[in-house]
Amino acid sequence: TDVPLKIGQRNNSDFTPGTGLQDLRIYGRELNEQEINVLARDSRISYLVQTSAGRSDQETQELFDWYLT
C-alpha cells in the first residue's frame, strides 16, 4: 500500500480527540489466539497493579483471581 500507517487518526482531518495509546506492538506474523489472550491479560494485570489507590472491588477481585492462578 502507498498509504502511511497512522495511529490515532483515521485520515488527514479526522483526529480522535480524548484518546490515548497505552501499548502498541507490531509483529511480523499473525499471533495465535493463545498469544493474544496472554498479551491482553498481562496488559490488564499491569494496569491493575499500577492503579492500587482507585481500584474497585471488582478490579481487586480480578487481580486476586489472577494471582491465585
Side-chain angles (χ1 to χ4, degrees):
T1 179
D2 293 334
V3 179
L5 174 65
K6 294 183 180 182
I7 307 296
Q9 181 182 6
R10 293 182 65 189
N11 57 43
N12 289 337
S13 63
D14 192 11
F15 292 95
T16 52
T19 61
L21 181 65
Q22 180 179 348
D23 190 10
L24 172 68
R25 300 174 189 193
I26 298 175
Y27 296 88
R29 62 178 178 81
E30 182 177 347
L31 300 179
N32 65 44
E33 186 176 352
Q34 181 182 4
E35 291 170 318
I36 292 168
N37 289 335
V38 167
L39 289 172
R41 185 198 66 219
D42 289 351
S43 293
R44 175 73 174 155
I45 295 304
S46 176
Y47 166 77
L48 291 175
V49 167
Q50 294 175 26
T51 58
S52 61
R55 193 179 304 136
S56 70
D57 291 342
Q58 181 180 355
E59 291 171 331
T60 300
Q61 185 63 48
E62 183 180 348
L63 190 57
F64 184 70
D65 291 344
W66 168 82
Y67 178 75
L68 292 178
T69 57

